[in-house]
Amino acid sequence: MASILVIDDDEALRLLLREMLEADGHQVREAANGREGLAFYRAQPADLVITDILMPEQDGMEVILELTREFLDARVIAMTGASGEQNFLSVAKLFGARHILEKPFGADQIRRINDEEGIKWLFSFLSADKLKSYCLYEAANAEAIRIAAKRLS
């Protein structure tokens, strides 16, 4: 399975993504900010990077730009939960993100990205049940997230 680096300053989201991805056999590493994520990637490149855009220390835009300049084969998904910030996602795509997602994202968006790029293996780790759990994340508090994550395992 794939090695995946999740870069997000939201610890609860990283936990949920980690549990979802590891349950499907992927190796997951986490970074709390862009600077840490770049250091992890440079030390050991991942098959896929999922990064938030708005983060402290080094934001996702800088991460995408540096990754795609240094590593031509870097596969990056950019995501943001900032409302009304579709412009951030458009710029992330220009900087080299292969896919962009606005949080919360649903199964239909995953399928659209999958169809557009023709790389079904990339999203095979996200089942409909797990996506429903992710959507719960956006609407629930931290305790509800922990409960949903335990149900996935």
Side-chain angles (χ1 to χ4, degrees):
M1 288 285 157
S3 63
I4 301 169
L5 174 60
V6 176
I7 308 171
D8 199 310
D9 58 325
D10 184 333
E11 184 177 359
L13 176 60
R14 289 194 323 266
L15 171 68
L16 184 61
L17 287 173
R18 171 185 279 283
E19 295 216 0
M20 287 171 36
L21 298 169
E22 286 181 344
D24 288 327
H26 299 285
Q27 296 176 329
V28 179
R29 290 180 293 154
E30 300 176 35
N33 61 61
R35 182 167 290 129
E36 186 177 90
L38 282 170
F40 287 170
Y41 193 93
R42 286 177 179 131
Q44 183 180 4
D47 297 320
L48 173 66
V49 175
I50 302 173
T51 185
D52 191 17
I53 293 177
L54 301 175
M55 296 180 289
E57 294 191 40
Q58 190 168 19
D59 66 35
M61 295 296 197
E62 294 175 62
V63 169
I64 295 165
L65 196 55
E66 286 191 40
L67 280 177
T68 56
R69 281 185 178 171
E70 291 180 42
F71 305 91
L72 297 178
D73 61 341
R75 293 180 179 263
V76 181
I77 297 174
M79 61 182 176
T80 187
S83 59
E85 296 302 341
Q86 184 61 32
N87 191 41
F88 280 136
L89 292 172
S90 298
V91 172
K93 188 91 171 178
L94 289 173
F95 280 8
R98 295 196 183 201
H99 304 287
I100 53 174
L101 294 171
E102 189 169 354
K103 299 182 219 174
F105 50 83
D108 58 328
Q109 289 170 292
I110 298 295
R111 288 186 190 108
R112 180 181 50 80
I113 290 170
N114 189 21
D115 291 344
E116 285 175 6
E117 296 298 320
I119 47 177
K120 294 181 180 178
W121 65 268
L122 189 60
F123 292 106
S124 64
F125 55 82
L126 292 173
S127 70
D129 290 340
K130 291 175 184 175
L131 282 172
K132 287 178 189 173
S133 295
Y134 171 74
C135 291
L136 286 175
Y137 159 79
E138 291 295 330
N141 62 28
E143 185 58 30
I145 294 166
R146 288 186 192 94
I147 292 169
K150 286 182 182 178
R151 288 182 184 165
L152 292 174
S153 56

